């Protein structure tokens, strides 16, 4: 039977040994990733040749000035109006049923396809044909839909804005 362990010796490595181990690990990693490192070096060389690295370095050195210009441009009235409009449109879209939007989008796509076919035929519509087309169920459905949209918009325009 073996003798029991009564003491544990802790081996402390010196700073030099730690550095040597790190260098060995780094050498191993470089050897494993040689192809990737070569590509990175080629890309870096190309960026240097076209002056992109100099431009990037200049941008980093002037970051405060660039930030000031960007903030100034973003705070201009047309940009803030655009951002407010985007947020309002996004808010409106969140209130609409996705199935309705999908149906409307598909209907518009089909309508555009038929419109393209009509353009290719180069057919003119007379006033009488226009009046008769109201009896076409598909056209009547689209007209009724459009009229209902206009009615709803009119009601919405009558109420004060929030």
């Amino acid at each position: 039977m073996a003798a029991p362990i009564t003491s544990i010796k802790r081996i402390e490595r010196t700073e030099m040994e730690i550095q040597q181990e790190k260098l060995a690990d780094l050498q191993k990693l470089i050897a494993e990733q040689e192809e990737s490192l070569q590509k990175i070096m080629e890309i870096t060389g190309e960026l240097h040749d076209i002056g992109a690295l100099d431009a990037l370095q200049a941008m980093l050195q002037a970051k405060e000035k660039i930030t000031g210009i960007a903030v100034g441009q973003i705070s201009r009235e047309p940009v803030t109006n655009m951002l407010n409009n985007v947020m309002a449109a996004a808010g409106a879209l969140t209130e609409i049923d996705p199935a309705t939007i999908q149906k409307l989008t598909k209907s518009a796509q089909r309508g555009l396809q038929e419109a393209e076919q009509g353009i290719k035929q180069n057919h003119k519509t007379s006033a009488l044909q226009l009046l008769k087309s109201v009896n076409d169920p598909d056209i009547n459905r689209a007209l009724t839909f459009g009229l209902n949209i206009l009615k709803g918009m009119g009601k919405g325009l009558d109420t004060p804005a929030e």
Side-chain angles (χ1 to χ4, degrees):
M1 189 172 196
I5 298 174
T6 57
S7 66
I8 298 175
K9 292 182 184 177
R10 177 176 239 167
I11 300 173
E12 292 200 25
R13 298 180 303 169
T14 65
E15 187 68 32
M16 184 64 117
E17 290 173 332
I18 293 171
Q19 285 182 0
Q20 289 295 331
E21 187 179 320
K22 286 182 180 180
L23 280 173
D25 290 345
L26 185 58
Q27 282 178 332
K28 181 180 174 188
L29 187 61
I30 288 172
E32 290 173 356
Q33 299 296 324
E34 178 185 2
E35 189 176 327
S36 298
L37 289 172
Q38 285 178 348
K39 286 182 182 180
I40 289 171
M41 297 304 280
E42 287 175 20
I43 292 169
T44 306
E46 290 291 326
L47 289 172
H48 178 69
D49 290 344
I50 64 171
L53 292 179
D54 293 332
L56 183 60
Q57 185 177 17
M59 286 173 57
L60 289 172
Q61 290 171 351
K63 63 184 173 259
E64 290 178 10
K65 289 180 182 177
I66 292 173
T67 303
I69 291 169
V71 167
Q73 291 298 314
I74 289 173
S75 61
R76 289 180 26 233
E77 185 176 351
V79 177
T80 57
N81 285 346
M82 180 194 66
L83 291 173
N84 288 335
N85 289 338
V86 167
M87 290 184 349
L93 284 175
T94 60
E95 294 180 18
I96 299 173
D97 181 23
T100 302
I101 294 291
Q102 186 176 17
K103 186 175 184 180
L104 185 60
T105 304
K106 286 183 179 180
S107 299
Q109 287 173 342
R110 185 160 181 189
L112 288 172
Q113 289 170 351
E114 292 207 16
E116 286 179 16
Q117 290 173 357
I119 288 174
K120 290 177 185 174
Q121 294 174 359
N122 199 19
H123 178 74
K124 292 185 177 184
T125 304
S126 69
L128 184 60
Q129 287 174 324
L130 185 61
L131 289 173
K132 286 181 178 180
S133 67
V134 174
N135 290 329
D136 182 319
D138 294 329
I139 292 175
N140 191 287
R141 189 177 310 108
L143 282 172
T144 303
F145 182 80
L147 290 172
N148 286 329
I149 287 176
L150 291 173
K151 185 174 183 173
M153 285 176 62
K155 288 179 181 178
L157 290 172
D158 192 34
T159 58
E162 293 177 11

